[in-house]
Amino acid sequence: MKEYKLTDMEGKFADIIWDHEPIPSGTLVKLCEAELDWKKSTTYTMLKRLEGKKIFENDNGMVKSLITKDDFYAEQSKQFVEQTFGSLPKFLAAFSRSKKMSDKEIDELQRLINEHKEG
């Protein structure tokens, strides 16, 4: 399983790309200079790093994602739950031990369970 983790700066950089994609690499350099105070070389170094993680690609100067922002964070959340708690039911047990769930939250969880139930 591919591990999806980003440092704080990688996350800020990724958000710029996701918010503007597809984006010409020259425009990305200008945005990173304005928003992160980066030099051109820093932007391209970070882009290469995230290309290596198979999150983005630079195709002839056009930068685009290989995984959507929503899918990335969903996978990151799934990995966190599995690594920290071992399973979703153990996570929910730990979560609900310290916080009572509202009827609305319980109904939403039940709806999700029903939607994803293996049949």
Side-chain angles (χ1 to χ4, degrees):
M1 172 193 295
K2 176 180 269 312
E3 190 159 322
Y4 289 104
K5 287 190 179 181
L6 296 177
T7 65
D8 184 48
M9 289 311 294
E10 288 173 340
K12 290 177 182 179
F13 179 69
D15 283 339
I16 290 172
I17 297 172
W18 278 317
D19 290 346
H20 297 90
E21 74 170 317
I23 182 172
S25 58
T27 304
L28 179 61
V29 167
K30 290 175 185 167
L31 279 172
C32 289
E33 182 180 12
E35 294 185 30
L36 304 173
D37 198 29
W38 284 2
K39 296 184 184 315
K40 178 180 180 179
S41 60
T42 305
T43 299
Y44 282 108
T45 298
M46 184 66 76
L47 180 57
K48 280 286 182 206
R49 187 182 307 167
L50 296 189
E51 283 181 290
K53 292 184 178 190
K54 306 285 191 226
I55 298 170
F56 299 106
E57 72 175 353
N58 184 355
D59 183 20
N60 293 317
M62 188 60 67
V63 179
K64 58 186 175 183
S65 64
L66 297 172
I67 181 171
T68 67
K69 184 176 185 176
D70 287 345
D71 287 347
F72 174 84
Y73 285 111
E75 186 61 31
Q76 195 175 48
S77 298
K78 184 176 99 181
Q79 288 177 1
F80 170 79
V81 168
E82 289 173 357
Q83 291 171 357
T84 306
F85 298 95
S87 71
L88 183 59
K90 287 180 183 177
F91 165 77
L92 289 172
F95 179 82
S96 62
R97 211 179 357 251
S98 62
K99 178 193 180 291
K100 292 294 178 197
M101 292 192 293
S102 69
D103 287 341
K104 183 178 177 182
E105 289 171 321
I106 292 169
D107 289 344
E108 180 65 12
L109 280 173
Q110 187 62 56
R111 184 188 65 75
L112 288 169
I113 290 167
N114 291 340
E115 281 181 13
H116 292 87
K117 199 171 206 174
E118 293 179 13

